Amino acid sequence: MPNQNIHPTLSQLISLDDIPNEIEGIHDALVSVFDNIYVKDLIASKSYDGSSVV
């Protein structure tokens, strides 16, 4: 059985399109970092009307 990582990477959870233009200069570095950080215990909630996510 091959080793498979069952945890998603940060880049799978956060779209790099959501990153502000002010830090566009470090976009490539963020892509590299986000691809190598795995999320194990994520707890997220959304407001009733869907306007905010915590």
Side-chain angles (χ1 to χ4, degrees):
M1 182 164 158
N3 283 340
Q4 293 181 339
N5 195 340
I6 61 171
H7 304 295
T9 61
L10 195 54
S11 62
Q12 292 173 320
L13 299 174
I14 299 175
S15 171
L16 291 175
D17 295 333
D18 295 337
I19 295 173
N21 291 334
E22 290 81 17
I23 58 173
E24 188 67 31
I26 60 170
H27 183 270
D28 293 336
L30 287 175
V31 169
S32 177
V33 170
F34 281 23
D35 285 343
N36 291 302
I37 295 177
Y38 294 89
V39 179
K40 182 177 179 182
D41 296 319
L42 175 68
I43 299 173
S45 62
K46 188 187 299 188
S47 64
Y48 180 73
D49 63 359
S51 63
S52 63
V53 177
V54 179

